[in-house]
Amino acid sequence: MMRDRQLLSAVLLILAFVSLQKLCYCDDQTVLYESFDEAFDGRWIVSKNGDYEGVWKHEKSEGHDDYGLLVSEKARKYGIVKVLDEPLNLKEGTVVLQYEVRFQDGLECGGAYLKYLRPQEAGWTPEGFSSDSPYSIMFGPDKCGATNKVHFILKHKNPKSGEYVEHHLKFPPSVPYDKLSHVYTAILKPDNEVRILVDGEEKKKANLLSGEDFEPALIPDKTIPDPEDKKPEDWDERAKIPDPNAVKPEDWDEDAPMEVEDEEAEKPEGWLDDEPEEVDDPEATKPEDWDDEEDGMWEAPKIDNPKCEAAPGCGEWKRPMKRNPAYKGKWSAPMIDNPAYKGIWKPRDIPNPDYFELDRPDYEPIAAIGIEIWTMQDGILFDNILIAKDEKVAETYRQTTWKPKFDVEKEKQKAEEEAASSADGLKSYQKVVFDLLNKVADLSFLSAYKSKITELIEKAEEQPNLTIGVLVSIVIVFFSLFIKLIFGGKKAAPAPATVEKKKKPEVGESSNSEDETEKKEGAAAPRKRKPRREN
């Protein structure tokens, strides 16, 4: 019995020790983790720079009990900073940058990237945080107009010139275009490899020192064009020149026209030279209300000359034009190889005074995280910001914080899409039904019931959810008519002939007025006839 207790105690001690080791491992590997479970006041510092008027809010993610940092207003600049307890040296081992962002109202124009800032000794303060605050890395999604990318920018100091240069990742991943939570991960490895993950899936792998992966390249070219070099005055870049010995032929007529009259053409027989193509409309009359002083002198509209319809043509006949066989255009000397050609000039290369070599990027340490964006979109929610020294830590957070939310949102999106698809199908089905019912209502033997059927159809069109009820009602009407047709029924009494006959003086007057207006417009705007093509 005593031995069992000792054995149990030993097992529990070992388990406790292992758990403590894991906990310490996680703490050692996690530089920063921000869940926003608590309000950010006191832990994050909002920029007091006058340009950054956007209001940050501590809000729940839509559909979840999980809180995040929310961009609450459109068309604003936002600035906020979280200072690390200690600056992180990026030169030591693996570094993982990860965070979640959700565009709850979609994203048309806005950024949602983070800036990993250098120590404040570089010349900035959290209260004065702005776009000019120096950073080491900028990472995250940005979409507006032609821009659609997940940025990864390394700001690196040239050891020769002392200048800080932004090196942009070439061909970065695009931004997911939906309203779901997404997690962005950048993994920096000791062998200069950088990997970009979106939702845990690798989208880009690059080498920080490769000119094929970053623009401009981190390591400059060994040589550069000499800025002091100038092209000699006698340098000839013309590969071809006009032949200086060429002479224009004597029979070359530069003034010859491109087209001439076809002398062989003959006027078609029956051509009516004295007949115009258009004549006054003999049936047109001047409107009675035409005022020559206000409307001008009235002229009858033109119509096609009926005599020209049967003839090959009317009016003055002219010979058609044809291409001039003697036409050669402007003469120019033929081109020959330039004997003085030296090629396209370019300045000579000289050693690049800013050239340097590196085995690893000379990273600046990270002392804070800043969100500095100008967005036309609201509803952007940041969450679960992580800096770690191990990929497994980032993967654990993705599985425990992001994945459950994403799965719920994905299922909801799928249900909404299916519902929308069903609604579209129902609308198409309803249109077919309504078109058929309108045709049925026009049948002559249903004339007595047409108003009721039409009324039911109109109600169903206004409230599509009543479609089934309307169909049932109309089926009942048809069934009743069928019974009456087979078994007969009481004849309806003739309607009394006391219905007052409606007068239509206004309609008649309106019609007459419209006729006169149309007649006047027809007379005032004669129809023009296109000229007959010359033969």
Side-chain angles (χ1 to χ4, degrees), residues 440-441 443-450 453 473-489:
V440 171
L443 296 176
S444 58
F445 72 91
L446 295 176
S447 58
Y449 303 91
K450 182 175 180 178
I453 296 174
S473 301
I474 294 177
V475 167
I476 292 173
V477 171
F478 289 165
F479 182 74
S480 301
L481 289 174
F482 181 72
I483 295 299
K484 285 186 178 182
L485 289 173
I486 294 177
F487 300 103

Side-chain angles (χ1 to χ4, degrees), residues 75-261:
R76 291 283 189 274
K77 285 186 175 183
Y78 290 81
I80 194 168
V81 172
K82 167 65 177 177
V83 178
L84 303 185
D85 294 336
E86 294 181 0
L88 173 64
N89 187 350
L90 298 177
K91 301 175 184 178
E92 298 177 354
T94 297
V95 175
V96 183
L97 311 175
Q98 179 171 286
Y99 71 102
E100 296 173 24
V101 66
R102 183 182 183 189
F103 306 120
Q104 298 181 126
D105 298 323
L107 181 63
E108 294 181 2
C109 186
Y113 39 80
L114 304 189
K115 290 184 176 180
Y116 298 86
L117 303 165
R118 290 161 52 194
Q120 295 181 40
E121 289 76 14
W124 70 280
T125 62
E127 293 79 6
F129 177 56
S130 70
S131 59
D132 296 326
S133 299
Y135 66 87
S136 292
I137 293 173
M138 189 177 105
F139 171 56
D142 186 17
K143 183 178 183 299
C144 192
T147 299
N148 182 356
K149 65 179 72 174
V150 178
H151 285 290
F152 184 88
I153 304 173
L154 173 63
K155 201 162 189 179
H156 191 266
K157 182 180 179 179
N158 185 308
K160 292 289 188 71
S161 67
E163 178 187 4
Y164 283 90
V165 180
E166 291 183 352
H167 302 276
H168 294 246
L169 177 65
K170 292 182 178 180
F171 312 112
S174 58
V175 182
Y177 191 73
D178 54 38
K179 300 179 181 180
L180 309 181
S181 298
H182 293 283
V183 58
Y184 299 89
T185 310
I187 304 171
L188 285 71
K189 304 290 287 184
D191 61 356
N192 302 325
E193 180 184 88
V194 58
R195 293 161 52 213
I196 306 299
L197 281 60
V198 178
D199 297 344
E201 180 182 349
E202 184 178 297
K203 297 293 186 179
K204 179 74 176 181
K205 181 188 288 187
N207 189 302
L208 288 162
L209 300 184
S210 172
E212 295 181 358
D213 293 330
F214 281 85
E215 177 64 37
L218 200 69
I219 299 176
D221 295 329
K222 288 185 177 182
T223 60
I224 59 171
D226 184 359
E228 303 296 329
D229 195 12
K230 295 182 179 179
K231 183 173 71 172
E233 293 183 0
D234 60 347
W235 191 279
D236 197 336
E237 295 182 334
R238 300 173 300 165
K240 298 280 187 179
I241 60 172
D243 185 356
N245 299 321
V247 179
K248 183 175 72 173
E250 294 183 1
D251 61 346
W252 192 289
D253 186 0
E254 293 184 341
D255 298 325
M258 184 180 294
E259 291 185 333
V260 293
E261 288 186 352

